[in-house]
Amino acid sequence: MNFYLIGAGVIARSHAEAIRKLDNADEVTLIVADTNPQVLRDFQALYPEAETFLDAQEMLAGEAQDDDIVVICAPPFTHFSLSKMALESGRHVLCEKPLVMNEEEADELLEIARRNNRQLGCCSVRFIGLPKLDEIKRLLETNQLGDIYKVTFIHRGQRGRPGVEYQPESKWFLDRSKSGGGIVMDWGPYDFTVINDILKPTSVEVTAAWTSKPQTEVDPVDTVYDVEGHVGAMLKYHAEGKSIWVHYERAHCTHGKPYHLVEIEGTKGAVEWSPYFESDKVIFRTDKNGEVVTEEVELANTNAIDYMDHPIHYFYRKVKGEPSPALTNEQAIFNFKCLQALYKAAETGAGAVVEEVVSA
Ligand SMILES: NC(=O)c1ccc[n+]([C@@H]2O[C@H](COP(=O)([O-])OP(=O)(O)OC[C@H]3O[C@@H](n4cnc5c(N)ncnc54)[C@H](O)[C@@H]3O)[C@@H](O)[C@H]2O)c1
């Protein structure tokens, strides 16, 4: 089978590693396109098995096989046109996060995927399918938390801006016209994939939201820098006739205190954990005879696949018709629309609603 990568920069290397780890890696042909010849040469030095192209359209000109997968690894402003081209070439598309730049692109891309009977996936699944997240879902399914009424999802970092402190060579992260936005478009896709995977909402209301761009003495001045670094929102999740409040906050630049707290509270118990790197502990709190009881389990990722390999491995399974937690089509679009609703609520000062994206 063929894996085509469009863009051969930082994340393309991670996907190439994941492809090498597939069970049938020896049957996979890796083909990659990048408009930058130096990036392409650097990629080929690391992955000599790859065929290379400077032009993505030329790369996809040949006849498609039914299980061909194109992975979009270029900056967000290219995601729509490159995904469209790849879907229309008759191939399945796994696109990096954020999926696209706006709601119009999201709707149109879903329609193109449906029309071509292809899967459209998003790479924001890196942190789902982990044992600690499965444990959270088990606690909810076995009703150990009672009626859930609030989720707190807070990650506040002080200096982690892509294009400044992280990957400073990729300035496109700072330019809204290229990245689609700041922290919301960078980490929001992962956050809302995790929250939506747990709560399985049929609709999401952003009741209030704000964004801010805290300044530092090293803010770039020789490049466009117009993206937010800190965001907060109150959301109301609707699922199975119930409503759950979600208190969301994300920062990769703040002068305030850095901390993280991810917790689900219910009428019978609460659970705290880190969906990401900080810890593998799942802390369950409940009551026994009026006393607080705290139980802790440590659930390291014992999966054979690394979290960075999830997007490729999950999508590959989906395309092969195997059970998979891949995020595709309607669900991928719904999750993306949650990010846009957050921006809309912050900009207008009014609420914004995301309704279920119904299958065609
Ligand atoms: N860097 C990370 O840690 C990371 C992690 C997860 C997801 N992502 C996502 O991956 C995507 C790419 O990020 P990156 O960090 O790899 O960027 P990067 O700047 O390292 O690489 C992007 C590459 O895309 C190429 N490109 C641009 N337009 C192209 C086109 N039309 N055809 C072919 N190639 C083209 C550029 O020349 C560049 O080499 C973004 O959506 C980003 O959010 C990045």
Side-chain angles (χ1 to χ4, degrees):
M1 72 175 291
N2 302 309
F3 266 96
Y4 299 85
L5 307 186
I6 305 186
V10 172
I11 205 62
R13 287 176 221 149
S14 162
H15 290 311
E17 289 295 332
I19 291 167
R20 277 182 172 179
K21 293 183 208 164
L22 287 169
D23 285 345
N24 68 341
D26 50 340
E27 293 159 25
V28 169
T29 304
L30 178 63
I31 310 142
V32 56
D34 198 298
T35 45
N36 183 328
Q38 187 56 51
V39 172
L40 212 46
R41 278 193 292 274
D42 292 346
F43 184 93
Q44 209 177 25
L46 290 167
Y47 305 97
E49 69 270 31
E51 288 175 39
T52 58
F53 286 81
L54 280 167
D55 183 71
Q57 195 164 7
E58 197 186 318
M59 176 175 79
L60 299 178
E63 201 186 322
Q65 304 297 310
D66 196 45
D67 58 359
D68 275 0
I69 293 175
V70 180
V71 191
I72 311 296
C73 316
F77 72 96
T78 67
H79 289 182
F80 173 75
S81 58
L82 292 173
S83 298
K84 178 177 190 286
M85 178 176 72
L87 288 166
E88 287 177 340
S89 81
R91 294 170 170 95
H92 302 285
V93 169
L94 173 62
C95 185
E96 259 307 337
K97 38 64 53 176
L99 191 59
V100 282
M101 297 283 280
N102 54 52
E103 278 195 76
E104 292 70 35
E105 289 187 351
D107 286 334
E108 199 177 334
L109 210 51
L110 178 61
E111 195 273 314
I112 295 167
R114 284 172 172 166
R115 186 162 16 100
N116 287 277
N117 194 24
R118 299 290 82 184
Q119 295 288 336
L120 167 66
C122 182
C123 286
S124 63
V125 288
R126 289 195 166 85
F127 304 96
I128 64 169
L130 296 173
K132 55 186 175 180
L133 189 56
D134 288 347
E135 173 65 8
I136 303 302
K137 288 167 147 182
R138 192 191 64 77
L139 287 168
L140 264 63
E141 279 158 17
T142 53
N143 200 29
Q144 297 196 51
L145 269 53
D147 287 334
I148 294 158
Y149 57 89
K150 189 190 172 213
V151 175
T152 307
F153 205 102
I154 301 176
H155 277 92
R156 297 160 49 96
Q158 287 174 316
R159 297 288 183 279
R161 295 168 292 181
V164 186
E165 289 88 12
Y166 172 75
Q167 213 172 304
E169 68 280 12
S170 298
K171 295 289 179 222
W172 59 260
F173 278 106
L174 303 171
D175 180 345
R176 177 174 292 272
S177 70
K178 296 199 167 84
S179 60
I183 186 74
V184 173
M185 292 298 242
D186 195 31
W187 271 92
Y190 297 124
D191 297 341
F192 283 91
T193 297
V194 168
I195 301 170
N196 294 358
D197 189 48
I198 299 169
L199 298 183
K200 308 217 176 324
T202 46
S203 71
V204 170
E205 254 179 279
V206 184
T207 62
W210 52 266
T211 64
S212 180
K213 180 172 166 263
Q215 296 163 10
T216 72
E217 292 192 348
V218 298
D219 282 6
V221 286
D222 53 353
T223 185
V224 178
Y225 175 24
D226 60 359
V227 297
E228 81 286 352
H230 194 173
V231 59
M234 274 311 283
L235 304 102
K236 205 172 194 181
Y237 268 60
H238 301 281
E240 292 175 354
K242 292 181 187 157
S243 296
I244 300 162
W245 285 102
V246 176
H247 173 190
Y248 179 74
E249 190 180 346
R250 254 285 170 195
H252 57 201
C253 187
T254 171
H255 301 293
K257 180 177 160 170
Y259 67 91
H260 64 91
L261 176 64
V262 177
E263 186 172 51
I264 304 177
E265 288 167 273
T267 50
K268 282 172 35 182
V271 64
E272 179 191 346
W273 87 109
S274 160
Y276 305 120
F277 315 108
E278 296 85 2
S279 156
D280 287 323
K281 278 189 191 140
V282 173
I283 305 167
F284 174 61
R285 297 186 178 92
T286 186
D287 179 89
K288 191 106 193 152
N289 296 324
E291 300 289 330
V292 177
V293 177
T294 305
E295 289 166 20
E296 250 182 55
V297 276
E298 185 121 12
L299 290 161
N301 185 18
T302 48
N303 281 349
I305 43 172
D306 185 79
Y307 72 92
M308 286 303 280
D309 301 337
H310 283 173
I312 293 285
H313 286 237
Y314 291 172
F315 194 69
Y316 168 84
R317 283 190 225 153
K318 182 88 184 178
V319 166
K320 292 286 183 190
E322 297 168 17
S324 163
L327 179 65
T328 58
N329 293 23
E330 290 77 15
Q331 188 63 50
I333 299 300
F334 180 88
N335 287 10
F336 175 77
K337 286 188 173 183
C338 292
L339 311 176
Q340 293 298 298
L342 204 152
Y343 278 135
K344 201 190 280 179
E347 276 159 24
T348 61
V353 181
V354 187
E355 297 290 357
E356 191 172 18
V357 185
V358 181
S359 303

